[in-house]
Amino acid sequence: MSIEMLPQSVSRRSGDEDCPKRTGTLWTASANIITIMVGSGVLSRAWDIAQFGWIAGPAVILLFSFVGYNTSRLLSDCYRTGNPNTGERNSTYMDSVHSILSGAKVKACGFLQHITLFGNAIRCSVEASLSMMAIKYVNCIHETNWEYSCQILSTPYMIMFGITEVLLSQIPDFDQIWWLSIVATVMFVTYSLIGLGLGIAQVAASGSFKGSLTVISVGDATETQKIWSCFQALGNIASAYSFSEILIETQDTIGSPPSEAKTMKKAISLSTVVMTTIYMLCGCVGYAAFGNDTPRNFLIDLGFDNPFWLLDIANAAIVINLVGAYQLNSQPIFAFVEKQAAQRWPRSELIAKEIKIPVQGLGQYNMNLFRLVWRTAFVIVTTVISMLLPFVFKELVDIISLGFWPLMVYFPVEMYITQKRIPKWSTKWVYLQMLSMACLVISIMATAGLIPDLKEDLKTNQPFGMIY
């Protein structure tokens, strides 16, 4: 083992000749996009469709697939400033905003991006613990045949998830977690197919399709509560197509030629088609199986109770998928903090010193003390918040960031208009501004839909005491 001062990685906003070789492909970029989009949210599409009915539900999914597809393509064109092949590269979302828009918008973008990624990391921790608890709960019921004797506390499972992320967070760079994204994508396909298969079996057993053509009957809920639920479902579907917070970072890992934008657009197309197909299948089959009683997540909420071993496999796949999603959300934050620290204290040994550790069969690992301490602290903070506010913090983040609109629509549209010099009041300019304003209204509606649930969660939240 040896210790030496290693130079800081070269800024990726300089010319290509200064940059490390990039090896990302269409497949690794698509895996990143799919992993960041889903979590276990694909299994919630049935609940979202249930709020609108058979006609409006699938229509809303198709609508936001169109919006997400187009705004993501706009953002991919902003990876290079100027010439799409030889222009200055922007390795992060903030760099793109700085190069094209500048001013206060850079800080606003940075705050919104990082608070969104931070909230997503906490969501991953909470959802992973729920899936682990579901495995324990299902097995307990199977063994005791008495559900009231099976109460599972979340804290140990959140700690287990946190320990796993402490280890994985030591992977130095965003472009080195491509294999984790591919594993997460395979796990996503696994639990999606299991959920789809169980839904089809449920429909076959009942012999009928449940649900209604229009919005579900209010039942015991008031008209106001129904409206809030529709708003919330609208936000859920819109956010399901938002991966802009890691799009530029993913594009910066792609090798060229062909141009990064060309490969990224293919990845966006492939991912959008795959995700829309899965969303439609799982959402429609789940709604057909449960109708107006569709749970928010029909695996975690135990819409099915048999076969228990298949449910265990599905929930285990969700956990592994979320392990990868946590890293995808955290790595841009890690890189930002470490870059700022290196710029502020360029002579600090704590930040620059790396310890070369030979790893049998894997070559050499360069352990950085600052990276070890800071990233471990980050994982501890997200884990503790997950224990304290399991269902509250993500809703607070969505409210603070005003949902999906700024990162998914506003900044891509504004940067595209500026970079392409689209004339004001031209047909294309008007179309893009109308799209942005319409999405802002939807974002406000979706954010408002979170408030009732937030109030209820604040009343019932028990720190360190989430029980399945």
Side-chain angles (χ1 to χ4, degrees), residues 32-330:
N32 278 4
I33 293 171
I34 290 172
T35 301
I36 205 74
M37 284 173 74
V38 292
S40 62
V42 65
L43 302 172
S44 300
R45 295 294 81 80
W47 183 85
D48 297 330
I49 290 178
Q51 307 313 302
F52 296 108
W54 278 114
I55 297 176
V60 172
I61 291 178
L62 292 175
L63 170 66
F64 281 106
S65 70
F66 172 80
V67 172
Y69 170 78
N70 281 283
T71 58
S72 298
R73 288 173 63 89
L74 296 182
L75 183 57
S76 70
D77 282 330
C78 300
Y79 171 65
R80 288 186 182 266
T81 305
N83 188 293
N85 295 310
T86 61
E88 184 183 27
R89 293 167 53 198
N90 302 296
S91 63
T92 68
Y93 202 145
M94 281 185 68
D95 288 342
S96 293
V97 176
H98 181 269
S99 296
I100 299 171
L101 299 179
S102 70
K105 292 178 180 179
V106 180
K107 292 183 178 180
C109 172
F111 171 78
L112 292 170
Q113 181 190 18
H114 293 131
I115 194 67
T116 299
L117 292 169
F118 187 68
N120 288 345
I122 292 172
R123 173 182 59 81
C124 289
S125 180
V126 173
E127 291 185 356
S129 67
L130 285 171
S131 287
M132 288 186 278
M133 292 162 70
I135 294 172
K136 180 68 175 177
Y137 185 79
V138 168
N139 291 336
C140 177
I141 292 178
H142 182 73
E143 292 170 0
T144 64
N145 201 30
W146 190 39
E147 62 179 302
Y148 296 105
S149 66
C150 301
Q151 289 193 335
I152 315 299
L153 189 65
S154 65
T155 301
Y157 299 98
M158 290 185 176
I159 292 174
M160 289 170 56
F161 185 82
I163 292 172
T164 302
E165 296 302 343
V166 166
L167 298 174
L168 290 173
S169 68
Q170 298 310 309
I171 299 173
D173 299 314
F174 188 87
D175 59 351
Q176 295 179 16
I177 61 172
W178 60 268
W179 60 271
L180 194 55
S181 295
I182 291 176
V183 171
T185 301
V186 172
M187 293 299 102
F188 153 69
V189 173
T190 300
Y191 70 72
S192 296
L193 290 177
I194 291 174
L196 185 61
L198 291 173
I200 292 173
Q202 181 95 344
V203 172
S206 65
S208 63
F209 282 70
K210 298 181 180 179
S212 57
L213 291 178
T214 56
V215 295
I216 66 172
S217 57
V218 174
D220 295 332
T222 65
E223 292 284 352
T224 301
Q225 289 172 329
K226 177 57 195 167
I227 292 173
W228 292 137
S229 294
C230 287
F231 284 177
Q232 193 175 85
L234 199 64
N236 291 343
I237 296 172
S239 298
Y241 283 98
S242 178
F243 51 91
S244 52
E245 57 267 31
I246 58 99
L247 188 148
I248 297 293
E249 285 78 358
T250 294
Q251 194 164 341
D252 192 50
T253 68
I254 297 174
S256 61
S259 69
E260 302 89 354
K262 186 174 182 179
T263 303
M264 195 66 195
K265 287 177 180 178
K266 288 182 179 179
I268 291 168
S269 299
L270 176 62
S271 303
T272 302
V273 169
V274 170
M275 293 311 305
T276 301
T277 302
I278 298 295
Y279 284 158
M280 292 290 278
L281 287 174
C282 288
C284 291
V285 169
Y287 184 39
F290 296 103
N292 294 347
D293 297 322
T294 301
R296 286 182 180 264
N297 185 310
F298 55 71
L299 285 182
I300 292 178
D301 293 338
L302 299 182
F304 308 103
D305 52 15
N306 274 302
F308 77 96
W309 58 269
L310 194 58
L311 293 173
D312 287 351
I313 293 174
N315 279 299
I318 290 174
V319 174
I320 297 172
N321 175 265
L322 290 167
V323 166
Y326 183 100
Q327 284 302 309
L328 278 174
N329 282 286
S330 302

